Amino acid sequence: MTDWALLAANVLEKGATLVPDKFPPPSPQAAHAWGEALSQVPVPVEVWPEAVTWWALNRSKWGKVTPQDMKEAALAVLSKWEQDPRKRAELERRRELRRDERDRRIGLIANGERRALE
């Protein structure tokens, strides 16, 4: 199982435990499909368990969960994290690492030094 499929399996398992009638039963096929969808949402993987709880507490009365519902829940949790100084600092650290990695890939950082755009 890929990392995203494993994450999705955990999301589906937790959701099925909290609101069994609203989440699809965990299966390898569901985990793969959900993992593909969740991988498109730009949030740290640590957000997902909290997002499941958030959805169960705030949206579960509206019907069965969809990947879009989990995306909205994850973004709500991320917004909450932005208000917490410790978590916001960690999010900024991760963003900086991603920026540096992107810049390395496109050649803006060479031999550990940032090059100016010409």
Side-chain angles (χ1 to χ4, degrees), residues 1-10 31-32 35-36 38-39 45 48:
M1 218 184 266
T2 67
D3 289 343
W4 281 105
L6 183 58
L7 172 84
N10 291 333
H32 178 75
E36 186 178 328
L38 298 182
S39 74
V45 296
W48 292 108

Side-chain angles (χ1 to χ4, degrees), residues 17-39:
T17 299
L18 290 173
V19 278
D21 60 325
K22 305 295 183 173
F23 272 77
S27 71
Q29 296 81 10
H32 178 75
W34 276 72
E36 186 178 328
L38 298 182
S39 74

Side-chain angles (χ1 to χ4, degrees), residues 26 51 57 66 68 77 82 84 94 98-99 105 107 112:
L57 291 170
T66 67
Q68 181 177 350
V77 169
E82 292 286 0
D84 179 321
R94 289 171 183 237
R98 278 197 316 268
R99 240 184 335 264
R105 281 195 312 265

Side-chain angles (χ1 to χ4, degrees), residues 21-113:
D21 60 325
K22 305 295 183 173
F23 272 77
S27 71
Q29 296 81 10
H32 178 75
W34 276 72
E36 186 178 328
L38 298 182
S39 74
Q40 302 301 305
V41 183
V43 299
V45 296
E46 295 85 1
V47 163
W48 292 108
E50 194 173 331
V52 175
T53 302
W54 186 93
W55 188 86
L57 291 170
N58 296 286
R59 298 288 195 263
S60 63
K61 65 182 176 183
W62 294 350
K64 289 198 176 260
V65 70
T66 67
Q68 181 177 350
D69 295 327
M70 286 283 60
K71 173 186 172 184
E72 291 169 1
L75 293 175
V77 169
L78 188 63
S79 179
K80 185 175 103 177
W81 282 21
E82 292 286 0
Q83 306 308 309
D84 179 321
R86 278 183 315 127
K87 289 184 178 179
R88 184 176 55 246
E90 175 61 19
L91 291 170
E92 279 302 316
R93 185 187 69 77
R94 289 171 183 237
R95 288 178 186 127
E96 186 175 325
L97 289 172
R98 278 197 316 268
R99 240 184 335 264
D100 288 349
E101 178 57 31
R102 180 207 59 212
D103 290 353
R104 257 191 287 292
R105 281 195 312 265
I106 63 173
L108 292 178
I109 297 178
N111 298 323
E113 296 203 16

